[in-house]
Amino acid sequence: MPSIYDYTDYRDIIRDFYLEKKEKNAKYSYSVLGMAIGLNASHVFCIVEKKRNLPVRCVPAIKKVLGLTGRAARYFDLLLAASRTKSEKTREEILAKAVLLRDVKKHVLQDKEIKYLSDWWTPVIRALIEVNQGKVDIKTIAEWLEPAIGEDKVQESVNLLKDLGFIQDLGNGRVKIADSHINISGEERAQAIRAFQAAVMQIGARSLQTIAPEDRDISTLTMAVDQQGFEEIKSMIQEFRKDVQIRVDKCGKPTRVLQMNLALFPVAFNKKISK
């Protein structure tokens, strides 16, 4: 079973604990686990399937069954609290506190990776360095960015890109653009990506007032569709995105960094049918 600090949902911890026990002993069941924590088998099953939450009264018992004490127990409590809140902002704040309880090495690495995904300007700066053929000029980059973020944040992002291996020093103020990988996954990655997308959409809205029409292309289309139409339109957008990526790869000497938002979302729908 992985370390508890590899989890972002407490129910996955319970699920993996159960599966490990079941593998070692075929007679181990939801009923056995339920008796240990004061629940019936169906309730335990619903928790593992993420259809119900663990009752507060059962928390001390489940932590005892899992063998959680000290920092691990506090980490479990935070994951439980995060799953119970309906506020996305509160949930992110709770999970951020949970990250602080992880091992120092992993915590530092994941903090940097989350920051790369969360700050809209860091991927832009990486692309801008590529436009400038590997030349890193903090002042020029700060002047080019729209909206402006200041030289300090530019320098911070350049340092981050180096730490994550996205750019590699060649000397003489130049770097090599390198491929690297983000190691975080699951809900933490999803949250960071959502934060990035939200920030980019805000910049898109801002560009309506700050960018001349000839330097942008923004349009909207309101449509009424059925489920099949919705699925087909999603596929069309995905194919279009691939076509754009292919075209971008053919740009020999790029002169600008663009951000393209493809957003398709409901503004009115039958909530009873969708459930």
Side-chain angles (χ1 to χ4, degrees):
M1 182 174 171
S3 165
I4 185 176
Y5 303 108
D6 291 332
Y7 294 92
T8 57
D9 191 315
Y10 79 92
R11 290 165 294 195
D12 291 334
I13 302 172
I14 298 174
R15 177 204 63 207
D16 286 358
F17 171 83
Y18 169 78
L19 292 176
E20 186 176 90
K21 284 286 188 179
K22 188 72 172 178
E23 185 177 350
K24 294 178 179 178
N25 181 4
K27 294 183 178 180
Y28 195 81
S29 65
Y30 288 125
S31 294
V32 174
L33 178 56
M35 288 179 61
I37 62 176
L39 293 174
N40 59 43
S42 62
H43 198 150
V44 175
F45 174 78
C46 287
I47 292 172
V48 169
E49 292 295 312
K50 301 183 181 180
K51 296 178 180 179
R52 300 182 68 175
N53 263 312
L54 180 74
V56 175
R57 64 179 177 82
C58 300
V59 174
I62 192 64
K63 287 196 288 189
K64 183 177 180 180
V65 168
L66 296 173
L68 303 178
T69 59
R71 184 163 57 98
R74 294 196 299 275
Y75 186 81
F76 184 89
D77 289 337
L78 288 170
L79 296 190
L80 179 63
S83 72
R84 289 179 171 277
T85 181
K86 294 182 179 180
S87 168
E88 185 66 25
K89 181 180 179 181
T90 301
R91 186 169 184 273
E92 291 178 0
E93 291 173 350
I94 293 173
L95 288 176
K97 292 180 180 178
V99 169
L100 295 176
L101 293 175
R102 292 176 172 175
D103 295 335
V104 174
K105 183 177 180 180
K106 178 176 290 186
H107 159 62
V108 172
L109 178 62
Q110 292 203 347
D111 268 2
K112 290 177 180 178
E113 293 177 329
I114 290 172
K115 188 171 181 59
Y116 174 81
L117 291 172
S118 300
D119 292 337
W120 67 264
W121 56 83
T122 303
V124 173
I125 290 173
R126 179 173 182 251
L128 193 54
I129 291 173
E130 185 174 7
V131 169
N132 292 333
Q133 299 181 329
K135 183 178 180 181
V136 179
D137 186 325
I138 301 300
K139 183 178 180 181
T140 299
I141 292 174
E143 290 174 349
W144 276 42
L145 286 175
E146 175 59 37
I149 63 169
E151 293 183 23
D152 289 343
K153 287 186 177 180
V154 171
Q155 183 64 66
E156 184 180 327
S157 287
V158 169
N159 293 340
L160 177 63
L161 289 169
K162 291 179 180 179
D163 288 344
L164 292 176
F166 283 113
I167 57 176
Q168 299 173 357
D169 271 314
L170 294 177
N172 300 320
R174 291 187 180 274
V175 298
K176 174 185 176 183
I177 303 298
D179 291 328
S180 191
H181 301 282
I182 297 296
N183 292 324
I184 56 173
S185 60
E187 185 58 27
E188 283 182 325
R189 184 187 180 97
Q191 288 177 9
I193 290 175
R194 284 195 292 268
F196 174 80
Q197 291 171 334
V200 169
M201 291 178 75
Q202 289 177 357
I203 295 170
R206 181 180 183 276
S207 70
L208 288 168
Q209 304 298 328
T210 60
I211 304 298
E214 59 267 24
D215 290 326
R216 59 174 169 78
D217 189 305
I218 297 177
S219 60
T220 59
L221 178 64
T222 304
M223 64 197 88
V225 301
D226 56 15
Q227 184 62 33
Q228 182 178 349
F230 170 64
E231 295 297 339
E232 289 179 0
I233 292 170
K234 282 177 59 179
S235 296
M236 291 167 64
I237 291 175
Q238 291 166 1
E239 286 302 315
F240 171 66
R241 188 170 62 226
K242 292 177 182 177
D243 289 341
V244 171
Q245 290 172 332
I246 292 172
R247 178 61 185 85
V248 169
D249 288 340
K250 295 179 181 178
C251 293
K253 295 182 178 180
T255 59
R256 68 197 70 190
V257 179
L258 299 177
Q259 181 69 54
M260 182 175 70
N261 296 342
L262 298 176
L264 179 71
F265 51 88
V267 291
F269 61 102
N270 189 325
K271 298 179 177 64
K272 291 182 181 179
I273 293 178
S274 66
K275 290 182 179 180

